[in-house]
Amino acid sequence: MELTYRPRRLRSGENIRRMCWETRVSADSLIYPIFVDETLTGRCPIDSLPGQYRYGLDCVTAAVRECQEAGVSRCMLFGIPAHKDALGSSAWDKNGVVQQAIKAIKAMYPAFYVITDVCMCEYTDHGHCGALCDHAVDNDATLELLCKVALSHAEAGADMVAPSDMMDGRVAAIRKALDTAGFTNTPIMAYSAKYASAFYGPFRSAAGSAPSFGDRKGYQMDPHNRKEALKECALDVQEGADIIMVKPALSYLDVIRECADAFDVPMAAYSVSGEYAMIKAAAQAGLVDEHRIMCESALSVFRAGANILITYYAKELAKAMQKGEL
């Protein structure tokens, strides 16, 4: 048979396949989530996230050391405070759990890049992402609190802040607060299109952040909506976001692609706890090859247009990249 073009020629061996990869990845794109628990000494396994841990302030630097040994040089810090109240006041305490963790990490590993999650849900006694007015989150009152949190993180030495609350106008408010205080070079990674997803369950168990009543559908995005994500990203870019994010990742690859194509800022994606837990469960049941599924899932996110991936598999992915497996 006479064929002018045979696509299989470029698949005929490992050498030529690797040369023709359209999507190339790097460990520099990976961010590892770290849970810091103010009530804990040492580290404690997270039942809902096999292989993951809560770290006490006495050993959070051990988590960073493990990252560096694996080739990961960036983390996202989440705090679990000893005290919770209606306003989440521990979130902006200068001696709060995240603030202490930043200082400890920077004292031992000054070059390690620390990004902080800016939200209230882990710190409020009701589990919602801001101040309440009756049983609804008060958007504008919450902005003032978020600014205090972001500023306290920057003052403690955070390299970047990442508001995840989905309040309207929070990027502009935080940008103004940081600039006014002299932190003009502190970037903002905005959780721009954060969906009200069922994939967050294991995280809420890990961080103790499940709402005590109702849900978060009044401020997180409806999974039915695609165009709304473009609007949310556009608003965050206009307000000064340096990086935008889509969360979760795997069920929203179409949204990642559209937003990556539409905006000339780096695109992050968060491969959330439920995605990780499903792969772990399927692997433990002997149904899938965990390593291959991990690599293929991550690759799909980058192929969709993400430049940055926040993932509980960051250390394993970095090792896979070093071996040329991804």
Side-chain angles (χ1 to χ4, degrees), residues 275-290 293 313:
E275 299 169 25
Y276 173 87
M278 286 195 306
I279 294 174
K280 281 288 185 182
Q284 289 172 359
L287 300 176
V288 299
D289 182 325
E290 181 180 2
I293 292 287
Y313 275 124

Side-chain angles (χ1 to χ4, degrees), residues 47-126:
D47 292 339
S48 60
L49 292 170
Q52 304 301 311
Y53 299 87
R54 295 189 191 92
Y55 294 87
L57 285 164
D58 62 321
C59 70
V60 67
T61 54
V64 171
R65 184 180 66 250
E66 292 170 3
C67 285
Q68 291 198 318
E69 289 172 350
V72 176
S73 57
R74 297 156 186 85
C75 77
M76 177 83 80
L77 280 182
F78 296 90
I80 303 167
H83 170 74
K84 299 188 179 190
D85 58 36
L87 292 179
S89 62
S90 294
W92 64 83
D93 187 332
K94 292 183 183 299
N95 293 312
V97 60
V98 166
Q99 291 82 351
Q100 290 188 65
I102 296 167
K103 292 174 184 177
I105 292 168
K106 286 298 183 179
M108 188 169 290
Y109 300 104
F112 192 81
Y113 201 85
V114 177
I115 306 163
T116 58
D117 179 74
V118 176
C119 195
M120 313 300 297
C121 60
E122 297 104 323
Y123 301 88
T124 56
D125 54 13
H126 47 75

Side-chain angles (χ1 to χ4, degrees), residues 193 229-230 233 244 246 254-263 267:
L230 292 165
C233 287
I244 55 177
V246 173
D254 59 323
V255 178
I256 294 171
R257 167 49 60 196
E258 289 211 45
C259 292
D261 287 344
F263 303 103
M267 167 60 66

Side-chain angles (χ1 to χ4, degrees), residues 121 124-129 204 208-216 219:
C121 60
T124 56
D125 54 13
H126 47 75
H128 279 282
C129 299
R204 291 176 181 171
S209 63
S212 61
F213 65 89
D215 54 42
R216 295 178 180 149
Y219 41 101

